[in-house]
Amino acid sequence: MTGRRKKEIRFSRLYSFSCFRSSSRDEHSQIGQKGYSRVVYCNDPDSAEQIALRYRRNYVSTTKYNALNFFPKSLFEQFRRVANIYFLVVACVSFSPLAPYSASSILGPLFLVIGATMAKEALEDWRRMKQDVEANNRKVKVYDRNHKFQDTRWKKLRVGDLVKVHKDEYFPADLLLLSSSYDDGICYVETTNLDGETNLKVKHALDFTSSLHEDNSFQQFKAVIKCEDPNDDLYTFVGTLYYDGQQYPISLQQLLLRDSKLRNTEHVYGVVVFTGHETKVMQNATDPPSKRSKIERKMDKIIYILFSVLISVSFIGSFFFGINTEKDIDRDRNVKRWYLRPDRTTVFYDPDRSALAALFHFLTGLLLYGYLIPISLYVSIELVKVLQSVFINQDPDMYYEETDRPAHARTSNLNEELGQVDTILSDKTGTLTCNSMDFVKCSVAGVAYGRGMTEVERALAKRKGDVVAHDDGNTSADLQGKSIKGFNFNDDRIMNGQWVNEPNADTIQNFFRVLALCHTAIPEVNQETGEIAYEAESPDEAAFVIAARELGFEFFKRTQTSISLHEIDHTSGRKIDRSFTLLHVLEFSSARKRMSVIVENDENQLLLLCKGADSVMFERLSNDAQDFEAITMDHIKRYSEAGLRTLVVAYRGISKEEFRSWEEEFMKAQTSVSADRDALVEAAADKIEKDLILLGATAVEDKLQKGVPECINKLENAGIKIWVITGDKMETAINIGYACSLLRDDMKKIVITLDSPEINDLEKRGEKKAVAKASSASIANQIREGKLQLSSCEGNSISFGLIIDGKSLSYALSKNQEDSFLDLAINCASVICCRSTPKQKALVTRLVKKGRGRTTLAIGDGANDVGMLQEADIGVGISGVEGMQAAMSSDFSIAQFRFLERLLLVHGHWCYRRISMMICYFFYKNIAFGFTLFWFEAHASFSGQPAYNDWYMSFYNVFFTSLPVIALGVFDQDVSARFCLKYPMLYQEGVQDVLFSWPRIIGWMLNGVISSMIIFFFTTNSVLHQSFRKDGQVVDFEVLGVMMYTCIIWTVNCQMAVSINYFTWIQHFFIWGSIAFWYAFLVIYGAISPTTSTTAYQVLVEACAPSPFYWLGTLVVVLSSLLPYFLYRAFQTEFNPMIHDVIQRRRLSSSELETSRDLSKKTGYSVIIFKI
């Protein structure tokens, strides 16, 4: 856009922008009071008064730690975990005589685990710090003492600084807009980073500052701003500007927020009002709600169970220790175990004080059996989840090339939760659909134009059994050979200027003229190609302007008071330029549901051009109804059924006397300072928007995203319930539901609505209490009838779909009806909530999450979906047209809805299975190890003597068994991704929590106990009563410990090998490498001086390795330990297989069948092939 044109436009005179000025001066009377005490000295940040206020600079930090608090704060985070507190206490007590092992052997692994976790925290925080450094060191032009704008880093900005921001740059702080490259001081702002909306917002400066256009015009500019204190409200701002003895109220329309971007404006000048963490965007930067997966919460309970087991075995040991100790000296002072010298001992072993000795032994037992608690569990799970997230982020099948966006796991805490989703709650627009509006049909003067078929219409025709021709979908792009964004219309009757030959050519001309004039879009001319593009506030508005252009009414220029079109004259058929004087714009809002402009044409006729929702437009039509009003209403209904978004187009002529009278009243309402100003303005607008002449209706399509029906069908086959919560009309939502396979022909529909004559009559009479009472009773009755329908079809294969509108939903979510509504909804196959507000989306999500007790997933793409995403157990954001707000507030982000299928059925299933098996295996291996200590202590009269060397025990969880379980958590697959998608019912293993149920957890624990018994009793009974070496020596304490430990290392690692379904070289390396590392450790550690290696000195090289019995015994014990699990899995797979067992068998069978088929071709023998 040229600078010359910019200087011509003064939109601030139009209602569409001036209406947003401060609504009441009463607000500004609060300046100087509590909450409104901020003072800014404009263009004078070095003044003594400004410095005395000591406002924060613009430096921003989003890190969790800094150099001073990293260690104390990070350590506090680590010791919030119960297991880490336990090991810290154990480490402290290990310095006392109570400890059965050296302090260093427990401190080393503890420091390693906590250090690794702290290193991970530091790395994540370092990445955040890099982002902060990048933002803080961006540059912006700041007005200095030499009256020039110099580049300055963002972090050095101060309150009161005067800055200049150029096009496509971000605002470095919250600025008060002084002027812009436009004469009247307007500018366009993109707030995607704040609210997720991509449509441009218009801001405008105060009239007296908008004339400051040049750099040198600020030499004498000094002013004072008094305004509200820093707060998190993005949608309000109250302040007063004091300049040259005058006071000027300022509002949100003059505030440019940090992290929003300047668009379609060459530059703006502004004064810094809020800096750094006092800016509104940083005030809103709260941490998202903390979410923990169900597996993690259950894991805490298992830790408590293991603590109970730890206390129990310690109590049992101390109880028997006390009994044995008391018996060591009888009443006659006879000594039973003389070799322990019970007559000369300490308090830890005193037959005369056996109870006290038992108490000390209990404390020793708590230390000794601490290996029941896996010290490396938490850090291993965190590492595994991070690596799982890397695989999700780098999955090429979830990469969307069109927007260059891969999937992104924004948190790794919920990976396994993806495999347990029971209910999906989805937005529609931009989530199931593209949120890219195309003009596809219209109705003008009762004639329907537009021959293409939408996807919803095809689904509708298919439901009715109609034959759909493939060429029915021809579009303008097919015919013209190029795609036009926003225009997908095809009808020879009015395209290429043919509309002039239609019998209703006058009405068609007026219809498309309204579309070309009734908007706030800005044309941008490409200087090289001459093509015109439009910056509009919404995709719908852009589609209307583009449609008008393609059908002969090209909007090409906008000035301060006029809009110019290239259009076809329907009488001559020639292209002419026509200019319209723009007098007022009555802008669209969610309350008004319509937009109007008042223009004057070349013939000095005043025209009001209006477009809006049918619910507000038909009641404003003239009493002299057009012949085609009923036909138009029928067309609108058909368009809605086809999933299209509709607007009614109308106009009327206005006499100059009526306009002058109305404008006087309207301007009086605008300048009112009373509390009811907004109501007065609305009433004035209503007075002119009446007696309209109907022209027709538009229909724009928001197409379904690619693969949505197939994705929904696959997710439903996986047993996942899908709810759609949308703001669309019921007819549109229902037909979109059919198009995306959410609703099916064989479904019975239960529709809950308050659209009844009785309630409508009460609403017209304004009896609010009676309306509320009747509505509540009606909803309760409809819910009751719906439940009766469900119970009458119980036992049949009939499925139900529930559809409810927003007004009904507000009553259904009340305290006395929410349980009944939820009971009805969860028994329906699909649920669609229409006309829902963002708050209702969050409330429905909370109801499902708490009422079902199952995992819920919410998916959306806009700022209005953030509450729903944060309320659900898992929030998935679509990084789409409506910005990144939903994606930034989500736990996972994807570019297209269809990627949800792979995210859940593949990655979700794998992550759930991996984490479940990993945790179960962790508890198995620790119980197997810990109980060998218990059996040995029982064998040694509960003396508290550990069976193994201190460093054997310390390295068990850290080096000898940790890497294979990490490989399991990262790489294992029960079936391939193709089979996960081919057999979606496999997903039910996670929904039903089959792999982490209490019976399965207890089963793994029992497996650990059985393995420990086999290892201990088989080893001791096989070696204690015979010679172990060639010279006839028997097994001593050191050799027995090494032999048992070797059996444990082999058993738990081979158990991993038996449990794994999918081997990679990494898993082989970790499993067999861990075993090899045990032997290498024995050799290296055993070669150290015996004062350090103690019982490990040369134990492998000199004692164990030369003995064949050591190797043979290890083989027999390991096979015996694995046998129970092997038999159990063989029995389960054969007689009670899980879903993945069946699929694995089918996969193997299909492989064999293909081989048989190949063999039959070669040999000529016929082979019977069974289809699976």
Side-chain angles (χ1 to χ4, degrees):
M1 187 184 295
T2 63
R4 178 176 166 274
R5 195 173 83 242
K6 289 177 181 181
K7 295 195 175 193
E8 293 173 344
I9 305 177
R10 297 185 63 86
F11 293 113
S12 57
R13 295 185 180 179
L14 303 179
Y15 167 50
S16 65
F17 305 126
S18 61
C19 68
F20 289 108
R21 297 184 188 275
S22 182
S23 61
S24 173
R25 292 176 186 171
D26 296 340
E27 292 176 322
H28 296 271
S29 65
Q30 302 176 61
I31 299 300
Q33 300 178 13
K34 185 177 180 181
Y36 297 85
S37 60
R38 194 172 187 86
V39 180
V40 179
Y41 293 87
C42 302
N43 201 19
D44 196 12
D46 296 313
S47 66
E49 295 89 347
Q50 188 73 77
I51 294 173
L53 294 172
R54 302 182 67 181
Y55 291 140
R56 300 180 66 166
R57 288 220 173 188
N58 203 39
Y59 179 82
V60 165
S61 174
T62 61
T63 58
K64 187 177 181 180
Y65 307 103
N66 58 43
L68 295 178
N69 69 11
F70 173 73
F71 280 102
K73 192 172 182 179
S74 181
L75 286 172
F76 173 76
E77 291 289 332
Q78 298 309 311
F79 290 111
R80 289 174 65 183
R81 291 170 171 167
V82 179
N84 286 346
I85 293 177
Y86 166 76
F87 285 111
L88 178 64
V89 173
V90 167
C92 294
V93 178
S94 64
F95 288 95
S96 73
L98 291 172
Y101 37 67
S102 63
S104 57
S105 65
I106 190 65
L107 284 173
L110 180 64
F111 287 158
L112 180 64
V113 169
I114 290 178
T117 308
M118 290 175 65
K120 171 180 170 288
E121 291 275 328
L123 179 61
E124 292 178 349
D125 219 44
W126 179 69
R127 289 172 179 166
R128 285 191 287 266
M129 185 193 71
K130 285 178 63 179
Q131 295 176 347
D132 292 342
V133 169
E134 181 184 352
N136 287 323
N137 287 286
R138 290 177 184 168
K139 292 186 177 180
V140 66
K141 292 190 177 298
V142 178
Y143 201 62
D144 62 12
R145 295 178 180 178
N146 298 322
H147 307 300
K148 294 182 180 180
F149 282 94
Q150 301 290 341
D151 285 336
T152 304
R153 299 185 190 278
W154 278 23
K155 64 183 179 183
K156 293 184 178 180
L157 281 184
R158 299 166 296 171
V159 172
D161 272 332
L162 179 63
V163 301
K164 182 179 183 181
V165 180
H166 291 273
K167 182 179 179 180
D168 294 329
E169 290 182 349
Y170 289 98
F171 299 118
D174 288 352
L175 311 177
L176 178 74
L177 175 63
L178 296 178
S179 63
S180 74
S181 52
Y182 290 98
D183 271 356
D184 55 353
I186 72 157
C187 69
Y188 294 90
V189 175
E190 182 184 280
T191 59
T192 301
N193 287 343
L194 304 182
D195 54 18
E197 297 181 7
T198 53
N199 55 297
L200 302 183
K201 311 293 191 304
V202 181
K203 303 285 186 175
H204 67 83
L206 296 174
D207 288 340
F208 89 94
T209 63
S210 61
S211 60
L212 302 172
H213 290 298
E214 305 300 330
D215 292 358
N216 56 12
S217 59
F218 293 96
Q219 292 185 14
Q220 305 302 322
F221 177 74
K222 292 286 190 295
V224 177
I225 299 171
K226 294 184 179 180
C227 63
E228 63 184 32
D229 293 335
N231 60 74
D232 61 357
D233 193 340
L234 293 172
Y235 305 106
T236 62
F237 178 72
V238 177
T240 301
L241 180 69
Y242 298 84
Y243 178 73
D244 198 21
Q246 299 292 320
Q247 298 183 21
Y248 302 90
I250 52 179
S251 68
L252 187 66
Q253 273 307 105
Q254 288 81 48
L255 193 67
L256 306 173
L257 299 180
R258 178 187 172 114
D259 281 348
S260 52
K261 182 187 285 188
L262 183 66
R263 294 288 302 276
N264 290 2
T265 311
E266 289 303 322
H267 63 264
V268 296
Y269 297 100
V271 172
V272 177
V273 179
F274 298 118
T275 52
H277 288 273
E278 294 180 341
T279 58
K280 287 184 179 288
V281 66
M282 294 305 297
Q283 293 278 311
N284 277 273
T286 56
D287 292 330
S290 178
K291 296 181 180 180
R292 298 182 70 204
S293 69
K294 288 181 172 58
I295 285 182
E296 191 175 344
R297 291 195 292 268
K298 186 181 281 190
M299 190 172 70
D300 290 343
K301 297 178 182 177
I302 299 172
I303 293 290
Y304 292 134
I305 291 174
L306 290 180
F307 271 121
S308 301
V309 173
L310 170 62
I311 293 170
S312 299
V313 295
S314 299
F315 177 78
I316 292 171
S318 63
F319 177 77
F320 285 105
F321 174 78
I323 292 175
N324 290 336
T325 301
E326 187 177 20
K327 290 180 180 180
D328 277 341
I329 298 179
D330 59 20
R331 294 179 181 178
D332 299 328
R333 307 302 292 176
N334 294 320
V335 178
K336 184 178 181 181
R337 292 185 292 183
W338 56 268
Y339 50 86
L340 295 178
R341 297 304 301 270
D343 54 334
R344 294 182 184 178
T345 188
T346 63
V347 68
F348 302 114
Y349 171 59
D350 188 351
D352 295 329
R353 291 182 290 178
S354 58
L356 183 60
L359 175 61
F360 284 123
H361 185 277
F362 175 74
L363 298 177
T364 300
L366 291 179
L367 303 181
L368 179 63
Y369 303 127
Y371 292 96
L372 291 170
I373 312 298
I375 188 173
S376 59
L377 173 61
Y378 288 109
V379 68
S380 298
I381 288 178
E382 286 185 4
L383 177 60
V384 163
K385 287 185 175 182
V386 168
L387 294 174
Q388 288 175 348
S389 298
V390 171
F391 286 145
I392 291 174
N393 296 343
Q394 295 184 352
D395 188 343
D397 291 322
M398 293 196 294
Y399 170 72
Y400 191 48
E401 188 174 359
E402 188 172 318
T403 57
D404 189 29
R405 282 183 178 151
H408 181 43
R410 299 179 60 81
T411 177
S412 60
N413 294 337
L414 303 173
N415 293 352
E416 68 274 22
E417 201 87 333
L418 290 172
Q420 296 182 280
V421 174
D422 177 75
T423 305
I424 294 174
L425 301 104
S426 173
D427 177 42
K428 183 191 78 69
T429 304
T431 303
L432 299 178
T433 61
C434 299
N435 198 21
S436 177
M437 307 302 172
D438 285 341
F439 185 92
V440 293
K441 293 177 185 291
C442 63
S443 171
V444 185
V447 180
Y449 295 100
R451 301 189 186 279
M453 288 192 75
T454 67
E455 295 175 13
V456 177
E457 284 179 305
R458 290 177 180 275
L460 194 63
K462 189 176 178 181
R463 290 207 318 275
K464 294 178 179 179
D466 298 340
V467 177
V468 180
H470 290 288
D471 58 354
D472 281 352
N474 285 345
T475 64
S476 60
D478 300 325
L479 299 175
Q480 298 176 15
K482 65 176 182 176
S483 175
I484 302 172
K485 185 178 180 181
F487 188 70
N488 195 20
F489 182 85
N490 173 33
D491 197 316
D492 294 336
R493 292 175 293 173
I494 61 173
M495 293 185 70
N496 300 318
Q498 293 301 310
W499 62 267
V500 299
N501 300 319
E502 288 290 293
N504 51 357
D506 287 340
T507 306
I508 293 176
Q509 183 186 45
N510 289 330
F511 178 87
F512 287 106
R513 189 177 282 167
V514 171
L515 296 187
L517 296 172
C518 186
H519 56 78
T520 57
I522 302 294
E524 279 196 330
V525 181
N526 188 313
Q527 300 298 332
E528 295 179 359
T529 64
E531 293 183 355
I532 298 177
Y534 301 107
E535 284 287 350
E537 291 192 7
S538 69
D540 306 63
E541 189 168 83
F544 294 141
V545 180
I546 291 169
R549 180 190 69 192
E550 295 301 315
L551 292 169
F553 298 81
E554 184 179 42
F555 162 55
F556 71 95
K557 183 180 179 182
R558 183 192 284 273
T559 69
Q560 171 188 341
T561 57
S562 68
I563 296 179
S564 300
L565 307 179
H566 297 308
E567 67 173 55
I568 297 175
D569 182 59
H570 76 285
T571 54
S572 63
R574 292 185 297 106
K575 202 168 189 178
I576 60 173
D577 288 352
R578 193 181 296 274
S579 181
F580 295 83
T581 303
L582 185 60
L583 302 176
H584 280 282
V585 178
L586 309 182
E587 203 171 60
F588 181 91
S589 71
S590 57
R592 284 169 41 79
K593 297 183 180 179
R594 63 192 183 277
M595 175 190 180
S596 300
V597 297
I598 300 175
V599 298
E600 184 176 11
N601 62 15
D602 295 339
E603 291 79 27
N604 295 324
Q605 295 176 322
L606 296 178
L607 300 172
L608 181 135
L609 314 179
C610 187
K611 65 183 181 187
D614 57 291
S615 58
V616 297
M617 291 293 289
F618 280 109
E619 64 188 27
R620 285 173 168 74
L621 296 182
S622 169
N623 292 328
D624 300 329
Q626 285 78 11
D627 297 336
F628 51 85
E629 181 176 333
I631 300 174
T632 304
M633 294 178 70
D634 182 61
H635 287 166
I636 290 173
K637 183 178 179 182
R638 281 166 45 194
Y639 294 154
S640 296
E641 290 175 348
L644 303 176
R645 297 160 67 117
T646 60
L647 283 180
V648 174
V649 179
Y651 84 109
R652 82 178 180 98
I654 308 173
S655 66
K656 292 187 181 295
E657 292 76 14
E658 181 186 3
F659 175 72
R660 280 194 293 269
S661 174
W662 172 82
E663 187 177 37
E664 183 179 344
E665 181 182 352
F666 183 71
M667 297 304 294
K668 184 179 179 181
Q670 268 192 282
T671 56
S672 171
V673 295
S674 62
D676 58 349
R677 173 189 174 278
D678 290 339
L680 293 174
V681 171
E682 178 69 22
D686 276 343
K687 286 185 178 180
I688 199 72
E689 293 173 323
K690 64 179 183 180
D691 298 330
L692 301 176
I693 300 172
L694 178 66
L695 294 172
T698 63
V700 296
E701 179 187 18
D702 188 6
K703 284 188 175 182
L704 284 176
Q705 291 180 15
K706 179 183 176 183
V708 167
E710 295 81 3
C711 176
I712 288 179
N713 186 57
K714 192 66 68 71
L715 293 173
E716 286 184 332
N717 289 338
I720 301 174
K721 295 180 176 62
I722 301 177
W723 294 31
V724 171
I725 313 176
T726 177
D728 280 333
K729 297 177 184 177
M730 183 174 287
E731 297 87 354
T732 304
I734 288 174
N735 286 290
I736 287 288
Y738 278 111
C740 66
S741 300
L742 191 65
L743 299 176
R744 299 184 300 274
D745 294 331
D746 57 349
M747 274 187 179
K748 284 192 174 182
K749 289 188 297 184
I750 299 175
V751 180
I752 298 178
T753 180
L754 290 174
D755 189 13
S756 66
E758 297 81 6
I759 294 177
N760 290 338
D761 289 341
L762 290 173
E763 287 178 341
K764 288 179 180 178
R765 293 201 294 268
E767 300 176 11
K768 294 184 178 180
K769 290 185 178 180
V771 169
K773 185 177 179 181
S775 298
S776 181
S778 174
I779 296 303
N781 185 55
Q782 291 181 68
I783 292 175
R784 189 163 48 250
E785 290 178 355
K787 293 170 77 173
L788 287 175
Q789 287 187 56
L790 287 173
S791 58
S792 64
C793 296
E794 196 171 349
N796 299 334
S797 59
I798 299 174
S799 56
F800 286 82
L802 174 65
I803 299 100
I804 182 171
D805 60 31
K807 193 186 296 184
S808 305
L809 192 59
S810 61
Y811 291 99
L813 293 175
S814 61
K815 289 293 183 183
N816 57 338
Q817 294 194 30
E818 62 179 9
D819 292 337
S820 297
F821 169 66
L822 180 63
D823 187 45
L824 170 64
I826 62 178
N827 286 292
C828 293
S830 301
V831 179
I832 298 178
C833 303
C834 317
R835 294 292 192 190
S836 303
T837 64
K839 184 178 180 180
Q840 285 179 327
K841 291 182 177 184
L843 290 175
V844 170
T845 305
R846 181 185 303 171
L847 177 65
V848 177
K849 181 175 72 171
K850 292 185 177 180
R852 289 280 289 163
R854 299 284 188 89
T855 302
T856 57
L857 181 148
I859 180 169
D861 73 315
N864 60 335
D865 300 317
V866 169
M868 177 174 71
L869 300 185
Q870 294 189 341
E871 187 64 50
D873 293 303
I874 306 170
V876 177
I878 301 284
S879 48
V881 178
E882 288 192 26
M884 295 294 291
Q885 187 73 6
M888 290 188 295
S889 302
S890 64
D891 304 304
F892 299 88
S893 65
I894 53 179
Q896 293 277 283
F897 182 87
R898 68 177 184 271
F899 297 149
L900 189 64
E901 174 186 343
R902 186 172 180 87
L903 183 66
L904 298 186
L905 302 188
V906 178
H907 291 284
H909 171 72
W910 282 348
C911 290
Y912 165 74
R913 178 179 180 81
R914 290 164 178 170
I915 295 294
S916 299
M917 286 189 61
M918 180 180 174
I919 296 173
C920 288
Y921 177 80
F922 248 108
F923 293 131
Y924 154 78
K925 72 183 182 67
N926 277 64
I927 287 176
F929 178 66
F931 267 87
T932 57
L933 294 170
F934 178 73
W935 305 131
F936 180 83
E937 195 198 15
H939 191 73
S941 298
F942 296 99
S943 61
Q945 172 67 44
Y948 313 113
N949 183 283
D950 295 353
W951 289 102
Y952 298 175
M953 295 190 289
S954 297
F955 284 180
Y956 178 77
N957 278 315
V958 179
F959 294 113
F960 300 140
T961 61
S962 60
L963 293 180
V965 76
I966 291 174
L968 166 75
V970 176
F971 298 108
D972 192 41
Q973 300 175 12
D974 53 348
V975 297
S976 65
R978 183 172 66 88
F979 277 89
C980 284
L981 298 173
K982 184 177 180 181
Y983 300 102
M985 278 305 294
L986 178 65
Y987 189 78
Q988 280 297 305
E989 286 189 346
V991 177
Q992 298 172 14
D993 205 12
V994 172
L995 302 178
F996 204 64
S997 61
W998 282 112
R1000 189 172 179 85
I1001 295 167
I1002 294 171
W1004 272 99
M1005 290 181 173
L1006 288 175
N1007 187 29
V1009 174
I1010 293 170
S1011 295
S1012 71
M1013 293 175 68
I1014 293 173
I1015 290 170
F1016 176 79
F1017 290 107
F1018 277 34
T1019 303
T1020 55
N1021 289 325
S1022 63
V1023 301
L1024 289 182
H1025 304 293
Q1026 56 185 325
S1027 62
F1028 184 74
R1029 303 187 188 181
K1030 293 180 180 180
D1031 57 5
Q1033 290 188 23
V1034 294
V1035 168
D1036 56 14
F1037 168 70
E1038 292 85 351
V1039 172
L1040 178 63
V1042 168
M1043 190 166 182
M1044 281 200 302
Y1045 199 89
T1046 302
C1047 292
I1048 290 172
I1049 296 299
W1050 271 96
T1051 298
V1052 297
N1053 281 291
C1054 288
Q1055 176 71 68
M1056 172 65 68
V1058 172
S1059 303
I1060 284 177
N1061 294 281
Y1062 178 75
F1063 269 103
T1064 64
W1065 69 266
I1066 297 176
Q1067 285 155 311
H1068 279 295
F1069 178 76
F1070 283 166
I1071 291 173
W1072 312 122
S1074 296
I1075 296 173
F1077 182 66
W1078 157 241
Y1079 289 113
F1081 170 78
L1082 267 183
V1083 172
I1084 297 170
Y1085 185 52
I1088 301 175
S1089 168
T1091 57
T1092 303
S1093 60
T1094 62
T1095 59
Y1097 182 70
Q1098 297 294 340
V1099 68
L1100 178 66
V1101 175
E1102 293 184 358
C1104 295
S1107 173
F1109 193 85
Y1110 170 75
W1111 304 104
L1112 181 62
T1114 300
L1115 176 63
V1116 172
V1117 172
V1118 170
L1119 292 177
S1120 302
S1121 301
L1122 295 175
L1123 188 60
Y1125 177 81
F1126 183 80
L1127 292 175
Y1128 166 75
R1129 282 294 291 144
F1131 179 85
Q1132 183 191 49
T1133 305
E1134 186 66 30
F1135 299 106
N1136 187 29
M1138 290 188 285
I1139 299 175
H1140 72 269
D1141 293 328
V1142 176
I1143 294 174
Q1144 286 175 344
R1145 186 177 294 181
R1146 288 183 176 184
R1147 182 183 61 184
L1148 294 173
S1149 299
S1150 64
S1151 170
E1152 293 171 3
L1153 292 175
E1154 289 172 4
T1155 304
S1156 301
R1157 186 181 295 111
D1158 295 338
L1159 182 63
S1160 67
K1161 291 180 181 178
K1162 292 180 181 179
T1163 61
Y1165 290 100
S1166 62
V1167 180
I1168 299 175
I1169 307 296
F1170 294 93
K1171 184 178 180 181
I1172 299 175

